[in-house]
């Protein structure tokens, strides 16, 4: 039984998924922080994901949904896709299903173009919103 379990493990993904889990737990428990966003550092304006980590921290610490939405109004959407990717790596590690969860979602989105286009439109609107002068001023005042 144990030999059968170890024969199913894809060790190429196992070390990555363990590392990713440690990093995520460290960030949620505030043991260490994410590095600065390279998009913001090099290009000079916020990407559509900017503020998602702070939004989750505010939501987990105080439960203030309004404050979390001010940091990034679509942090829940990014969280969904990051969770799907995380679960997909776990599925690939233990070879739980084929095609994997991520592949199934990609096929679904390719068949439902309106859903894919709405995600892109929402991301673009968020990109514009996060770079409005009033929002940038508010975010800088928090630092």
């Amino acid at each position: 039984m144990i030999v059968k379990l170890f024969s199913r493990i894809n060790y190429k993904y196992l070390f990555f998924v363990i590392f990713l889990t440690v990093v995520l737990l460290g960030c949620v428990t505030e043991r260490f922080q994410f590095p600065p966003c390279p998009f913001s550092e090099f290009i000079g304006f916020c990407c559509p994901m900017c503020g998602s980590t702070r939004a989750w921290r505010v939501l987990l610490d105080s439960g203030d949904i309004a404050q979390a939405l001010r940091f990034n109004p679509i942090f829940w959407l990014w969280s969904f896709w990051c969770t799907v990717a995380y679960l997909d790596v776990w599925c690939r590690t233990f070879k739980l299903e084929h095609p994997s969860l991520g592949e199934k979602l990609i096929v679904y989105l390719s068949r439902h173009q309106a859903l894919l286009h709405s995600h892109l439109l929402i991301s673009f609107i968020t990109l514009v919103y996060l770079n409005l002068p009033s929002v940038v001023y508010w975010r800088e005042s928090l630092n």
Side-chain angles (χ1 to χ4, degrees):
M1 175 80 174
I2 293 177
V3 173
K4 194 174 188 180
L5 176 68
F6 282 113
S7 68
R8 292 187 60 154
I9 295 175
N10 188 339
Y11 291 99
K12 166 172 82 171
Y13 290 108
L14 181 64
F15 299 111
F16 174 71
V17 81
I18 290 171
F19 171 75
L20 188 61
T21 303
V22 169
V23 168
L24 288 172
L25 288 174
C27 289
V28 169
T29 60
E30 297 186 19
R31 299 260 181 220
F32 49 89
Q33 295 182 347
F34 281 114
C37 174
F39 191 89
S40 178
E41 290 287 315
F42 295 117
I43 297 178
F45 60 90
C46 298
C47 72
M49 279 185 72
C50 277
S52 295
T53 305
R54 287 175 284 180
W56 270 110
R57 283 193 177 160
V58 165
L59 192 63
L60 293 174
D61 289 344
S62 65
D64 189 359
I65 295 173
Q67 182 75 0
L69 290 172
R70 283 187 74 191
F71 277 116
N72 189 322
I74 61 168
F75 74 96
W76 52 270
L77 183 64
W78 296 117
S79 301
F80 169 76
W81 288 113
C82 289
T83 303
V84 166
Y86 182 72
L87 292 175
D88 186 56
V89 171
W90 273 103
C91 289
R92 288 172 187 263
T93 301
F94 294 102
K95 300 177 184 171
L96 296 177
E97 59 181 61
H98 186 77
S100 68
L101 181 64
E103 290 169 346
K104 287 179 182 177
L105 272 170
I106 289 171
V107 169
Y108 181 81
L109 285 175
S110 67
R111 291 184 184 151
H112 298 86
Q113 292 290 316
L115 185 61
L116 178 62
H117 292 136
S118 65
H119 276 73
L120 292 173
L121 181 63
I122 289 169
S123 297
F124 179 74
I125 291 170
T126 303
L127 177 70
V128 171
Y129 165 75
L130 291 175
N131 291 289
L132 291 173
S134 60
V135 176
V136 171
Y137 176 76
W138 175 77
R139 291 169 73 143
E140 288 174 355
S141 68
L142 295 175
N143 294 333

